[in-house]
Structures are given as structure tokens and as C-alpha cells.
Amino acid sequence: MDQYVTGSIIKKLRERSTMTQLQLAELLNVSDKTISKWETGRGYPDIALLEPLARALQLSVTELLAGESISNTNRCFNMKRVKLYVCPICGNVILSTGEAAISCCGIMLPPVEAEPPDSVHTIHVEPMEDEYYVAVNHSMDKKHYISFVAAVKEDGYELKKLYPEGVAEARFKRSNIRKLYYYCNQHGLFQVPLTAGKGL
Ligand SMILES: [Fe+2]
């Protein structure tokens, strides 16, 4: 917890709920003098009162401690905000659908920034029946290879792990794919947008 609830926050939230000190006191089974003490910084509500206090002010405890109502404008995750995290130690790949603090092998992972393809990391995408055939034109030797290709769709994603000395190819069901990502272990992440039904 960064900070405990302060008197000025209680006052601000109580006034916003258009409650008098007495009305709030009655809801909490304390005296209005106690509320006044909290609001003027001469005392703090006991920790056992935080939940009833939040409830009385129609907030969550988190919101009470933050001093404001937190409106989450994106309760549903959004595939447009996909971020990929790749662990440089074990190669773990983590996909998140929004901001996140991700750690792996004891280190914090920043989201990998995806670049458009360059001349040595080109990708071929071809619609084939109900699939996309995807091939990355790149070496696949043990030191330098494409380690995965991921298809981000409107409603999910699919990730294909690739292996050194294998082929840099993958197939994905065509439905709703919006973007393809592919990752070179030496040069990082590349992305290409995909228009429905079309190849590259
Ligand atoms: Fe590369």
C-alpha cells in the first residue's frame, strides 16, 4: 500500500457523496466527532474500518486509498493492444493484451518493440484454402533463427514455435487474423498487418 487513507481524501469523498459527517458516522457506528478527527488529520480510521468506509462511500478499498473512483475504460481486453515479451534467458514468450509487469528468469521484461520487415527478414504470406501459409525468408541455424511466428486475431492469437535447423514456416487458420509477428533471436520482433483474405 503506497499510502493510507488521508483526512482530506475522506472529506473529499464524503462531500462528493453528499453525506454529512453525522450520516457517515452512523453508517460506520462511530461518532461524528471521530469523522471530524479523521478529516482534520487528528487520527486515522482503524484498518478494520477501511472496508466499511469504502462501502459507505460506494467505492472499492483500492479507490478509497487512491482517493478517487477508478473507471476502467477497458475491462475487456483489447487485441489491438497486444504486447509481446520475450525472455532473453530461456526464450519464454508471453503475450499480454494490455500493460503488464512481466518478469521471467528473475528479470523484468520490457515489451518487445516490433519493427516492419527489413530486407533480411522478409515474410511471404499466401492464402491457401482456409489457411494462411507463412514463410519467413531467414536462416534457421542454431545461432541465428526465427523462434516463433504469431498470428493476432480479432478475438485471440495463435503462436507457432519454430526450431533451429527446422523450417521458418507456419500455417494459421485464416479467420480474423489482423497481424503477424515473427521473432528473430538476434534481430528482434517484426510485424506485418494483414488485410482479410489477402496475402503479402
Ligand atoms: Fe535475423
Side-chain angles (χ1 to χ4, degrees):
M1 177 185 316
D2 286 339
Q3 62 167 34
Y4 203 66
V5 63
T6 63
S8 57
I9 284 177
I10 297 173
K11 186 168 195 291
K12 179 181 93 177
L13 296 173
R14 176 183 60 76
E15 286 175 349
R16 203 164 65 190
S17 306
T18 60
M19 255 188 287
T20 63
Q21 288 184 341
L22 186 61
Q23 285 168 325
L24 180 59
E26 281 170 356
L27 286 173
L28 299 174
N29 286 324
V30 296
S31 68
D32 54 344
K33 221 165 137 187
T34 303
I35 305 284
S36 166
K37 269 189 190 167
W38 296 344
E39 291 188 358
T40 51
R42 288 173 292 136
Y44 285 106
D46 186 89
I47 194 157
L49 281 172
L50 281 191
E51 223 177 294
L53 180 58
R55 213 175 310 127
L57 296 166
Q58 294 183 317
L59 297 165
S60 66
V61 172
T62 309
E63 289 171 316
L64 174 64
L65 294 172
E68 58 200 348
S69 40
I70 299 163
S71 59
N72 187 342
T73 52
N74 185 30
R75 278 194 193 278
C76 301
F77 67 72
N78 188 336
M79 294 309 293
K80 286 181 187 155
R81 297 184 191 179
V82 156
K83 291 182 195 305
L84 280 155
Y85 300 78
V86 181
C87 175
I89 297 168
C90 72
N92 192 2
V93 181
I94 299 135
L95 183 143
S96 81
T97 54
E99 292 298 327
I102 308 280
S103 75
C104 189
C105 293
I107 53 169
M108 290 299 295
L109 303 179
V112 187
E113 272 185 41
E115 307 278 341
D118 61 20
S119 59
V120 288
H121 297 87
T122 55
I123 188 168
H124 171 75
V125 182
E126 205 178 315
M128 279 186 180
E129 297 174 0
D130 61 340
E131 288 182 328
Y132 278 119
Y133 163 73
V134 176
V136 184
N137 184 20
H138 192 274
S139 77
M140 287 298 277
D141 64 54
K142 279 182 183 164
K143 288 194 176 149
H144 187 192
Y145 63 99
I146 301 300
S147 63
F148 69 84
V149 183
V152 171
K153 308 180 180 196
E154 270 173 19
D155 54 356
Y157 74 99
E158 221 181 308
L159 189 138
K160 296 275 166 72
K161 172 91 182 95
L162 303 179
Y163 296 92
E165 299 185 337
V167 285
E169 294 174 3
R171 284 171 189 274
F172 298 100
K173 284 269 175 249
R174 261 163 72 174
S175 58
N176 300 326
I177 296 185
R178 289 290 169 261
K179 212 181 253 189
L180 286 172
Y181 289 93
Y182 52 106
Y183 188 79
C184 163
N185 72 318
Q186 287 197 17
H187 298 107
L189 188 65
F190 298 89
Q191 63 172 359
V192 282
L194 225 53
T195 317
K198 293 195 181 141
L200 281 176

